[in-house]
């Protein structure tokens, strides 16, 4: 009877151990599936973020290019205006010199303007 009880206890222990192992194996499988799902989700999110950042970078580069073109146009325009202004100032100075010369010559000859 003692031997039978020991064999029965041993069999129950083995059944219990097998259930525990099976339960742990199922849990391990669930954890591995969840890990795989999380990895896929993270990769998808990373790709989305990368695409968003790439779009923002391209937009900023485009805006920078547009602004640089505006700056270049303004510089050319300012340079052109500066050249034109210098030319007008020189012309104005020459007109003033010519008027002074005419006044001087008129005074020398005693002729009013």
């Amino acid at each position: 009877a003692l031997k039978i009880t020991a064999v029965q206890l041993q069999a129950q222990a083995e059944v219990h151990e097998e259930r525990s192992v099976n339960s742990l194996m199922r849990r391990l499988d669930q954890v591995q599936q969840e890990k795989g799902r999380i990895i896929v989700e993270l990769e998808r999110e990373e790709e989305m973020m990368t695409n968003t950042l790439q779009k923002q970078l391209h937009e900023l580069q485009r805006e920078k290019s547009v602004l640089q073109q505006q700056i270049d146009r303004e510089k050319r325009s300012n340079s052109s205006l500066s050249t034109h202004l210098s030319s007008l100032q020189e012309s104005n100075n020459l007109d003033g010199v010519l008027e002074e010369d005419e006044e001087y010559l008129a005074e020398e000859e005693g002729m009013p303007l």
Side-chain angles (χ1 to χ4, degrees):
L2 192 56
K3 193 172 185 178
I4 293 175
T5 305
V7 169
Q8 288 175 340
L9 287 176
Q10 178 69 29
Q12 288 176 350
E14 287 178 11
V15 168
H16 178 70
E17 186 177 314
E18 189 172 331
R19 282 186 191 142
S20 295
V21 168
N22 289 338
S23 176
L24 289 173
M25 291 295 286
R26 281 191 302 275
R27 182 67 184 131
L28 179 60
D29 189 46
Q30 289 172 349
V31 168
Q32 287 176 335
Q33 288 177 2
E34 180 71 8
K35 177 183 173 185
R37 188 191 62 76
I38 290 171
I39 287 172
V40 168
E41 187 177 326
L42 285 174
E43 288 172 349
R44 190 177 320 124
E45 287 181 24
E46 184 180 72
E47 186 174 343
M48 232 173 45
M49 288 174 59
T50 299
N51 290 340
T52 300
L53 290 173
Q54 283 289 342
K55 286 177 186 176
Q56 289 175 349
L57 178 62
H58 290 310
E59 180 63 21
L60 287 173
Q61 287 172 335
R62 189 192 65 75
E63 288 176 17
K64 178 185 174 193
S65 176
V66 167
L67 290 173
Q68 187 61 50
Q69 290 171 359
Q70 285 178 319
I71 289 170
D72 292 343
R73 279 195 304 274
E74 291 293 326
K75 283 181 179 179
R76 286 192 301 273
S77 177
N78 286 343
S79 176
S80 175
L81 288 174
S82 179
T83 301
H84 186 64
L85 180 60
S86 294
S87 144
L88 287 175
Q89 288 174 336
E90 287 175 12
S91 174
N92 194 21
N93 286 341
L94 288 177
D95 288 345
V97 169
L98 288 175
E99 287 176 13
E100 290 174 9
D101 288 348
E102 288 174 358
E103 289 173 8
Y104 176 75
L105 289 174
E107 287 175 7
E108 289 291 317
E109 296 177 2
M111 297 172 50
L113 287 174

